[in-house]
Amino acid sequence: MSDQAPTVSEPQNISAQLRDRRRREGRWFMLSLLLHLAAVGALIYLTPIRQVLFGPPPPPQRSTTRHESQPVDLMMTSREITEVAQKLEQINADQIEHSVETLQELSQRMRELNEKRLDEFRVFERAQIEQTPEHVQDAMRQAMDAIVKSTEAVQAKQLESATQQQHVAVSHQQTIQQQLKLVEASQPVVEAQQRATEAQQKAMNLSKQSLEANETFKSNEGSLNYQRKMQQEYTERVEKKQREVQEKQQKREEYQAQQREKQQQLEQAKAANDEKAVKRAERSVKEADSRLERSQKEVDRKEDELQKYREKLTGFDAEVKKLTKVQDDAQRQRDTSYEQAKQIQATVKPLQEEVARKIQEDVAERVKKILEQLPEDQTLQAVMPELQAPQVNDPASIQELYDAARMMEKQLARQYRHGRAMRLAVLQNVPFEEALKAIDEVAPERPELPAEAFEGDARNEKQLEARKNAMRTARAETQSMVALGYSLLSQAEMDTAPIGGNGAGGGISLAAIEAKTAHQQELAKLADQEKSGDAVDVSRAMQRSAGLSRDKTYHEDEPAEVLPPKLEVKSIPTPGRKIGSAGEAAGWMSIMQWYTLGPFANPARSNLNRVFPPESLVDLNAAYVGKNGRTITWQFINSTNRHGEVRPANEEPYGIWYAYTELKLDRAQDLWMAMGSDDKGKVWINDELIWVSRDELKEWRPNEALRRVHLREGRNKILYRIENGHHGIAFSLWVHLEK
């Protein structure tokens, strides 16, 4: 028993030891944790870490770099702001004053050019008046010749020839009217000539109406014949189908009779209780029913076909009726207009002969009086007092300088307009006043400077910023005025230089003026599609008008007449604006990139002959007063139409638009151009008029007219004028790239 006691107590001692060790380790852990926390707290409290973790954020430091700093104005006092504003005003005033001085110099140079133009115009004016009787007699002779031919053509019902001769007659009659206006002929003579011209104009319009009605008659004739042919064909088809329906109906009636007969036989067999006969009769009835059903379907099908043919025939009947009415109306219009044209045309010759006798005496007397009163020497200021230089009273402020610049610009634009009018009077052989009315002012609209921006001293940031913006506007606008002034002067110098001959000095030559005028009148006549036709070579006239000598190395093998290339309406051109001599020819190239301006007002087509600013000078930065008083500016468009059609983005009825672009060549060439417009269009190349469309409302087509033109090496300026009537507007310009 004593040997087992120690073995029982040993495990109990081990457990007690383990419990004691765990208690001691727990106490040491808590003590260690407390010591570490105390150390961390002391570290935070006794070092700068406390400021980082718990203190307020440090104040922001001001950046010293220029782009990160706040505006200087915010740091300036009111006095400093005033001083800055004064310094800026002085700098801007000096620049604007320099622009004003430049505008004054340009105005003086323009004045000198106009003095030269006035000398030329005086020579032309005297010669124009002296030659008026001769011009009237020549125009009268040609008018009478055309009137006689018109009368003969109308009598012979040759309406196409009649309208051509009538147009010639009206053109010469209008020339007579211009000459009468030039010499201020007596009112009875002017009215008598007006009556003769109006009678010829009315006869021409009636002939055109008759011709158009005849064209309508002819164009509808083919359609009417086709409709009548189809009407006859379907009438025959309907009749044939009706016969077929009747045959099928008769066959159906036979089958119905057979079916009734078989049915009776069946009834008899049943009554006789003959089973075999009943079965045979039932088979016969079934076969008869099947034949009758098939026959009914055939009748239904034929009747459906007959109904379709009748519907077709009804459509052709209606179309024939409509076209017949169109034909009757066209024929009635043709005959009525022709009879009226014949009656009125017969009165034109007596009217013109009557006024011819009065004109010769009246014009000769008027010319004599005018020449006696015409001053030999007169200054530009005396002839055109409105061109006198404006008085500018030593402007001091920016507002006064800006107003002075605007005044000088308007004066410069007026000088340019008057010079342009003198040139137009010479070219078109019309009185100066009439030419002046046809030309619009070229000066664009300039903004007003805000008066409040210059009131008192600028004392805060807002006032300083407003003043800076006003000064910036004034400086930019006056620089634009100077640029416009240089452009006007350059254009005026180009217009003036060729008229005096070769520029080698000496006196003014009437022969040189007349030669230059004749060349430009020749070009204007070729450009007019109504007078010259659809396809015309104007390249030689362009070179003669511009005074260019022909390059014999380039032109010596060129045929006298170059036939125009073919152009289909559905052709797909290649877009572009540059032409090089290297590479393969690309056929037709369309110009798709344009600057457009518009609309200018054109109520009821009343401004078709009015000259708007772009015809005098193209300034892509200018703004003008357009239709309904709206401000209009040049807008860039890049058309993506695959057929080469271009449309302004802001199209609307009854307006006039302009389009400008440039074509670049690596060498001078004569190339064919195709153009078309909806509605009336004009095209200038390097300031030379090369196309004037017919005066009518029409649809766009790319091959409306073709002109062979002279294009110089480098930049070629192209200006397009497009009128829009009561529908859409479109235009195009294609260039044929020859091998």
Side-chain angles (χ1 to χ4, degrees):
M1 303 267 312
S2 61
D3 293 339
Q4 297 176 352
T7 59
V8 173
S9 62
E10 189 172 348
Q12 295 175 353
N13 293 334
I14 292 173
S15 297
Q17 290 175 3
L18 290 172
R19 286 194 295 271
D20 291 340
R21 180 179 294 177
R22 283 195 293 269
R23 284 195 295 267
R24 288 194 300 270
E25 287 177 352
R27 288 193 295 268
W28 277 109
F29 173 78
M30 292 300 296
L31 180 62
S32 176
L33 179 61
L34 291 172
L35 290 173
H36 279 83
L37 289 174
V40 171
L43 180 65
I44 293 173
Y45 185 78
L46 299 174
T47 65
I49 296 177
R50 180 187 64 178
Q51 186 72 16
V52 174
L53 295 176
F54 304 104
Q61 296 182 359
R62 187 181 300 277
S63 174
T64 57
T65 60
R66 182 176 182 85
H67 69 278
E68 295 177 350
S69 63
Q70 295 187 12
V72 178
D73 295 356
L74 296 177
M75 303 176 60
M76 292 191 300
T77 64
S78 297
R79 180 178 178 182
E80 290 172 335
I81 290 176
T82 301
E83 291 177 354
V84 169
Q86 290 174 350
K87 290 179 180 179
L88 289 175
E89 284 184 44
Q90 185 59 48
I91 293 171
N92 282 274
D94 291 342
Q95 295 178 356
I96 297 173
E97 185 177 9
H98 178 69
S99 296
V100 173
E101 293 173 352
T102 303
L103 288 171
Q104 289 175 330
E105 294 174 3
L106 292 172
S107 178
Q108 179 59 33
R109 290 170 61 184
M110 185 72 78
R111 184 181 181 81
E112 293 170 359
L113 277 178
N114 279 350
E115 290 284 1
K116 293 180 181 179
R117 275 182 170 162
L118 181 61
D119 293 339
E120 295 174 348
F121 182 74
R122 189 178 290 113
V123 172
F124 167 78
E125 184 182 35
R126 176 171 289 276
Q128 183 187 44
I129 294 171
E130 289 176 346
Q131 296 171 1
T132 297
E134 181 182 345
H135 290 163
V136 169
Q137 186 176 3
D138 183 60
M140 186 70 71
R141 178 183 55 78
Q142 295 186 63
M144 288 301 301
D145 183 57
I147 289 170
V148 170
K149 291 180 180 179
S150 300
T151 305
E152 293 174 352
V154 169
Q155 293 291 341
K157 292 189 176 182
Q158 299 173 351
L159 295 180
E160 189 169 351
S161 175
T163 54
Q164 292 176 354
Q165 292 298 326
Q166 287 167 336
H167 186 275
V168 173
V170 169
S171 177
H172 290 304
Q173 287 174 317
Q174 290 174 344
T175 300
I176 295 172
Q177 287 181 288
Q178 289 180 351
Q179 296 295 318
L180 295 178
K181 186 183 296 184
L182 182 67
V183 297
E184 299 177 357
S186 63
Q187 194 64 25
V189 169
V190 172
E191 291 175 354
Q193 181 57 51
Q194 181 68 28
R195 286 193 296 272
T197 304
E198 289 176 353
Q200 184 61 85
Q201 182 79 48
K202 188 173 183 180
M204 180 179 68
N205 292 337
L206 287 168
S207 296
K208 285 183 177 180
Q209 290 176 12
S210 180
L211 190 61
E212 290 169 359
N214 192 51
E215 290 296 324
T216 302
F217 183 88
K218 288 182 179 179
S219 63
N220 284 335
E221 193 171 17
S223 298
L224 180 58
N225 290 337
Y226 170 77
Q227 297 294 333
R228 283 174 174 168
K229 178 182 177 182
M230 297 305 296
Q231 181 188 42
Q232 179 63 30
E233 181 178 333
Y234 272 86
T235 299
E236 294 173 357
R237 288 187 182 185
V238 167
E239 292 173 352
K240 180 180 178 182
K241 194 61 63 176
Q242 285 176 336
R243 290 193 296 271
E244 291 177 358
V245 169
Q246 291 174 356
E247 291 173 0
K248 295 298 181 183
Q249 288 174 341
Q250 290 174 359
K251 199 70 173 176
R252 182 188 62 185
E253 291 174 357
E254 292 176 3
Y255 288 148
Q256 286 175 340
Q258 292 176 6
Q259 194 268 351
R260 287 192 298 270
E261 181 182 352
K262 298 298 181 184
Q263 189 66 37
Q264 290 175 358
Q265 291 176 358
L266 176 61
E267 295 296 331
Q268 293 172 358
K270 287 181 178 180
N273 291 323
D274 188 347
E275 294 182 0
K276 291 183 179 180
V278 169
K279 290 181 180 179
R280 286 196 300 271
E282 286 178 345
R283 286 196 299 270
S284 298
V285 168
K286 188 175 182 179
E287 291 174 359
D289 288 342
S290 178
R291 286 195 297 270
L292 180 59
E293 182 180 359
R294 290 196 300 270
S295 178
Q296 183 61 48
K297 288 182 179 179
E298 190 69 16
V299 169
D300 293 341
R301 186 176 65 83
K302 292 295 183 180
E303 287 179 343
D304 288 342
E305 292 177 356
L306 176 61
Q307 182 61 28
K308 291 179 181 178
Y309 285 163
R310 282 174 173 167
E311 290 175 357
K312 286 277 190 180
L313 179 59
T314 301
F316 288 121
D317 287 342
E319 195 65 23
V320 166
K321 183 178 180 181
K322 183 180 75 173
L323 290 176
T324 301
K325 184 178 184 305
V326 172
Q327 288 294 84
D328 292 343
D329 291 344
Q331 186 175 13
R332 185 164 48 254
Q333 177 68 36
R334 179 192 64 187
D335 296 342
T336 302
S337 298
Y338 168 72
E339 290 299 328
Q340 292 176 351
K342 184 169 68 172
Q343 292 175 6
I344 296 176
Q345 185 64 50
T347 67
V348 175
K349 183 180 178 183
L351 285 172
Q352 193 62 64
E353 288 176 338
E354 180 183 357
V355 74
R357 292 188 293 270
K358 299 177 181 178
I359 283 179
Q360 294 301 325
E361 298 178 0
D362 188 79
V363 168
E365 183 180 350
R366 294 285 174 174
V367 166
K368 183 179 179 181
K369 289 183 178 179
I370 291 175
L371 290 176
E372 291 174 353
Q373 299 172 359
L374 197 66
E376 292 293 335
D377 189 15
Q378 209 170 11
T379 63
L380 184 67
Q381 180 175 341
V383 177
M384 304 172 190
E386 64 272 23
L387 298 186
Q388 184 175 0
Q391 298 296 325
V392 180
N393 300 322
D394 296 332
S397 67
I398 289 180
Q399 181 71 61
E400 292 173 347
L401 286 167
Y402 182 70
D403 292 341
R406 292 174 65 191
M407 192 185 306
M408 292 305 304
E409 182 190 40
K410 289 187 179 296
Q411 171 67 9
L412 189 59
R414 280 195 297 269
Q415 291 173 324
Y416 176 81
R417 178 176 176 238
H418 280 67
R420 191 87 173 176
M422 283 190 280
R423 182 171 185 262
L424 184 64
V426 172
L427 295 179
Q428 296 187 358
N429 197 23
V430 297
F432 172 79
E433 292 75 13
E434 184 175 334
L436 186 64
K437 289 179 182 178
I439 301 176
D440 257 21
E441 291 282 359
V442 297
E445 292 295 305
R446 301 290 181 185
E448 297 282 349
L449 294 184
E452 61 274 10
F454 297 100
E455 291 178 354
D457 294 331
R459 295 187 176 277
N460 55 49
E461 176 190 357
K462 184 178 180 180
Q463 292 176 344
L464 178 60
E465 191 63 27
R467 189 159 299 189
K468 285 163 61 178
N469 289 335
M471 290 187 291
R472 191 180 298 114
T473 299
R475 188 173 66 251
E477 290 295 330
T478 51
Q479 290 172 352
S480 174
M481 295 176 197
V482 171
L484 175 63
Y486 276 115
S487 298
L488 292 175
L489 183 64
S490 175
Q491 183 67 43
E493 289 173 341
M494 286 191 296
D495 289 345
T496 305
I499 294 182
N502 58 12
I508 298 171
S509 168
L510 177 60
I513 296 175
E514 291 178 340
K516 175 65 179 178
T517 303
H519 289 325
Q520 294 190 339
Q521 288 176 346
E522 174 196 12
L523 182 56
K525 183 178 180 180
L526 291 174
D528 192 337
Q529 189 174 351
E530 186 73 37
K531 296 179 180 178
S532 60
D534 296 340
V536 182
D537 187 343
V538 300
S539 58
R540 289 171 173 80
M542 288 178 70
Q543 295 184 69
R544 284 194 294 269
S545 178
L548 300 175
S549 59
R550 297 183 64 82
D551 182 359
K552 294 186 178 180
T553 60
Y554 174 67
H555 293 284
E556 60 183 359
D557 298 327
E558 183 180 290
E561 182 179 359
V562 181
L563 297 178
K566 291 184 179 180
L567 173 58
E568 301 295 334
V569 174
K570 296 183 179 180
S571 299
I572 308 298
T574 301
R577 285 198 307 117
K578 294 182 179 179
I579 300 176
S581 55
E584 295 291 332
W588 286 101
M589 180 186 80
S590 61
I591 302 178
M592 308 297 285
Q593 295 179 334
W594 297 83
Y595 285 92
T596 62
L597 176 71
F600 289 96
N602 186 33
R605 309 188 76 202
S606 60
N607 288 333
L608 285 184
N609 297 319
R610 185 173 178 180
V611 179
F612 291 102
E615 294 183 37
S616 298
L617 180 74
V618 174
D619 182 1
L620 298 180
N621 296 316
Y624 303 98
V625 177
K627 183 180 177 182
N628 299 328
R630 289 172 292 179
T631 299
I632 55 175
T633 58
W634 291 93
Q635 305 293 326
F636 178 76
I637 58 173
N638 184 11
S639 177
T640 57
N641 184 283
R642 63 196 298 262
H643 293 289
E645 182 187 33
V646 184
R647 291 179 177 272
N650 59 338
E651 60 179 279
E652 60 182 74
Y654 293 109
I656 291 174
W657 279 257
Y658 288 88
Y660 176 80
T661 192
E662 293 178 355
L663 185 63
K664 295 183 179 180
L665 283 76
D666 63 350
R667 65 184 179 91
Q669 296 186 62
D670 292 348
L671 296 174
W672 282 99
M673 282 188 170
M675 53 219 69
S677 65
D678 175 1
D679 295 295
K680 184 175 181 178
K682 292 183 180 181
V683 175
W684 292 262
I685 295 181
N686 297 324
D687 301 319
E688 298 286 1
L689 183 64
I690 61 105
W691 178 59
V692 180
S693 76
R694 291 184 173 89
D695 185 6
E696 58 189 23
L697 298 174
K698 53 190 171 57
E699 294 182 351
W700 169 82
R701 55 185 178 89
N703 58 352
E704 180 181 351
L706 287 93
R707 294 291 184 269
R708 185 170 175 84
V709 302
H710 176 73
L711 299 173
R712 59 197 182 197
E713 179 182 349
R715 184 170 65 108
N716 291 266
K717 301 179 295 180
I718 301 176
L719 180 66
Y720 216 128
R721 171 174 168 147
I722 317 100
E723 176 225 359
N724 187 25
H726 51 78
H727 291 302
I729 178 174
F731 67 96
S732 62
L733 187 67
W734 295 13
V735 185
H736 190 252
L737 306 181
E738 302 170 356
K739 294 183 180 180

